Amino acid sequence: MTDLNKLQTGKLFIDGQWREPLGMGSHPVINPATEEIICEVSEGSAEDVDLAVTAARAAFHSWRNSTAQKRRELLNAIADGMEKRKEDLTFAISQTLGCPEHITRWLHVDGPIYAMRYYAERTFEMEKTEKAAHSLLFREPVGVCGFITPWNYPLHQFVGKVAPALAAGCTMISKPAEITPLQDFIMAEIIEETGVPAGVFNLVPGAGSVVGAALSAHPGIDMVSFTGSTRAGVEVAKAAAPTVKRVTQELGGKSPLIITPDADLEAAVRWGCEDVFINSGQTCTALTRMLVPAERYEEAVEIARQVAEGIAMGTGDDAFMGPLSSARQREIVRGYIQRGIDEGARMVTGGAEAPEGMEKGFYVKPTVFADVHNHMSIAREEIFGPVTCLIPYRDMDEAISIANDTEYGLSSGVWAKDAESAMSLARRIEAGLCFVNGGEFNYDAPFGGYKRSGNGREFGEAGLGEFIELKSVQLPA
């Protein structure tokens, strides 16, 4: 197991070297379960971003012209390194995010390893040539990329950007979230050890207002990919606009789960609650609006109460839900719980106070609200905590209307008597993803949203496409 204090968190990884930052700032990384400082991480500056962009631009020509086989070998080597250091990655994420280790392993680490290998096998897409009448179509990498990753699924989103970019032949500068940066340092060590050429991957940690802003606006960056809040995504897009760089965004969500009258109510409600409570509710795709047939509403409310009150909290092997990621996030969630009460929703279980015996750590109880209407702020705004809202509907047209009455469109769910009967509803929901009868996340499929949930896609073939420029060569007819 890595001693987290031995990671080179006082340095930046630029042009294949660990180097001192030009600025003097640093910020603490805190264990949200104990409220203790794990380590200090140096903060990069706009000048550090300049150095990283220069390195990435210098490396781009040779990297874009490397063979697909070479890139395939390196991506597979990175995946091998991730396997070798799987426990280090698990420990780093668990310690900084608060997710129990036994859940972190499969929720936060297994999938990214798979995705890295997936894109290793997609490198040859860049060497394909297609014909379109009298034209030839070529694929070329978009260029130098700036990545701004979130704190809630830090390795997942790191790989969702870095892996397809490497496969396409792009070079990059990555900025981790201040709260959960340590797995990125481990990944930089793995990338260094595999022999990825200097300048292809650069790591510049720091504040979003400094490093993130510099990446978004930098004229030497051809594309910026951001995952985070819709508010911050708007600022990234504004900063990127003057240089007309490509922008992809995976932003907020307030996703519905429609449970049909003929569904297995016990299974549907249990799955829906656990979908919200896992990772302490800090999941952008969480199905936080549970839409239930009016005639079975109170039955569903009682099932949800039982599920919430049965959630084991802590960081041990028996725990399902850990603390929230930070004191700030805890206060945000507590504020929403109070707003729900003030708005007239019925708090079935949970609440803003600390769970008994867990006064230390940023814990919030799994909370269930009933008698929620879609105009309430707890039904419209992304809480990003373990809070679920049950909303009744009278018929399927009303269920679809409620589901789509949101500025977001990232995720959704339908639980019906069977998958086939759920499909017509899935097609009517305005969202980029739909989980049917408990279907699992699929790294082979595109991930992204409609409306204010962002633009562009990650994972699957579409994820690679975000890093590709298409060139058409017109031949004599």
Side-chain angles (χ1 to χ4, degrees), residues 67-236:
T67 66
Q69 178 60 27
K70 177 64 174 177
R71 296 196 302 279
R72 176 181 180 272
E73 291 170 357
L74 286 171
L75 265 72
N76 276 321
I78 294 171
D80 290 342
M82 294 171 71
E83 287 279 8
K84 183 179 178 180
R85 299 190 65 179
K86 183 175 179 178
E87 294 308 308
D88 294 341
L89 291 165
T90 299
F91 185 67
I93 296 168
S94 179
Q95 288 291 298
T96 57
L97 181 60
C99 185
E101 282 191 50
H102 71 100
I103 292 176
T104 300
R105 192 171 291 107
W106 64 262
L107 183 64
H108 289 277
V109 180
D110 285 346
I113 295 173
Y114 172 86
M116 188 65 72
R117 294 199 190 282
Y118 174 93
Y119 283 112
E121 301 309 313
R122 298 301 180 281
T123 58
F124 292 97
E125 295 293 318
M126 301 303 295
E127 296 184 350
K128 287 183 177 179
T129 302
E130 297 178 20
K131 289 200 70 175
H134 65 279
S135 299
L136 294 178
L137 305 183
F138 298 96
R139 293 170 173 81
E140 297 181 352
V142 71
V144 176
C145 304
F147 298 145
I148 305 170
T149 55
W151 49 260
N152 63 322
Y153 283 83
L155 185 61
H156 182 277
Q157 295 304 110
F158 175 98
V159 170
K161 301 176 193 303
V162 169
L166 290 174
C170 296
T171 58
M172 64 213 68
I173 304 95
S174 187
K175 188 204 89 67
E178 296 97 308
I179 296 174
T180 55
L182 301 187
Q183 69 291 320
D184 284 37
F185 284 87
I186 295 173
M187 289 302 300
E189 290 180 353
I190 292 170
I191 289 170
E192 180 185 23
E193 290 168 5
T194 58
V196 172
V200 170
F201 172 82
N202 304 272
L203 179 66
V204 182
S209 58
V210 178
V211 176
L215 289 172
S216 302
H218 204 290
I221 289 180
D222 303 296
M223 171 190 179
V224 61
S225 178
F226 170 81
T227 300
S229 70
T230 298
R231 176 197 58 77
V234 169
E235 295 305 312
V236 167

Side-chain angles (χ1 to χ4, degrees), residues 203-438:
L203 179 66
V204 182
S209 58
V210 178
V211 176
L215 289 172
S216 302
H218 204 290
I221 289 180
D222 303 296
M223 171 190 179
V224 61
S225 178
F226 170 81
T227 300
S229 70
T230 298
R231 176 197 58 77
V234 169
E235 295 305 312
V236 167
K238 287 180 178 177
T243 52
V244 201
K245 57 172 58 69
R246 183 177 298 183
V247 178
T248 63
Q249 302 167 312
E250 193 272 288
L251 307 175
K254 192 66 183 177
S255 303
L257 167 62
I258 297 176
I259 300 174
T260 64
D262 56 7
D264 180 337
L265 190 66
E266 172 81 29
V269 173
R270 176 168 295 277
W271 180 81
C273 287
E274 290 178 349
D275 175 78
V276 173
F277 299 148
I278 199 164
N279 212 45
S280 302
Q282 299 165 135
T283 303
C284 55
T285 59
L287 305 174
T288 51
R289 292 184 295 143
M290 188 180 296
L291 278 53
V292 182
E295 64 270 22
R296 305 193 70 183
Y297 186 69
E298 289 303 328
E299 184 183 354
V301 169
E302 175 58 20
I303 295 169
R305 181 191 67 76
Q306 293 176 13
V307 173
E309 293 179 357
I311 294 292
M313 300 184 68
T315 57
D317 291 342
D318 296 329
F320 182 82
M321 199 180 96
L324 292 170
S325 61
S326 66
R328 178 178 180 272
Q329 191 61 27
R330 178 182 60 183
E331 292 312 304
I332 289 172
V333 174
R334 284 176 168 176
Y336 272 110
I337 292 173
Q338 187 59 51
R339 284 170 68 182
I341 295 170
D342 294 344
E343 289 174 335
R346 172 172 36 127
M347 192 179 72
V348 177
T349 189
E353 66 276 5
E356 186 176 350
M358 290 184 169
E359 287 73 24
K360 195 76 168 178
F362 308 131
Y363 289 95
V364 171
K365 295 177 183 178
T367 299
V368 175
F369 276 109
D371 301 341
V372 177
H373 302 287
N374 215 41
H375 63 269
M376 293 180 176
S377 60
I378 59 170
R380 303 203 70 81
E381 299 176 20
E382 187 173 42
I383 299 172
F384 231 56
V387 181
T388 190
C389 300
L390 275 69
I391 302 173
Y393 68 84
R394 291 167 297 183
D395 54 42
M396 297 318 305
D397 285 342
E398 184 180 38
I400 292 294
S401 176
I402 295 170
N404 290 337
D405 180 20
T406 172
E407 66 182 20
Y408 297 113
L410 181 58
S411 183
S412 63
V414 176
W415 198 296
K417 66 176 181 179
D418 53 49
E420 182 179 356
S421 58
M423 291 309 297
S424 62
L425 293 174
R427 292 293 297 270
R428 294 175 67 187
I429 300 175
E430 297 166 354
L433 294 88
C434 187
F435 296 89
V436 169
N437 283 31

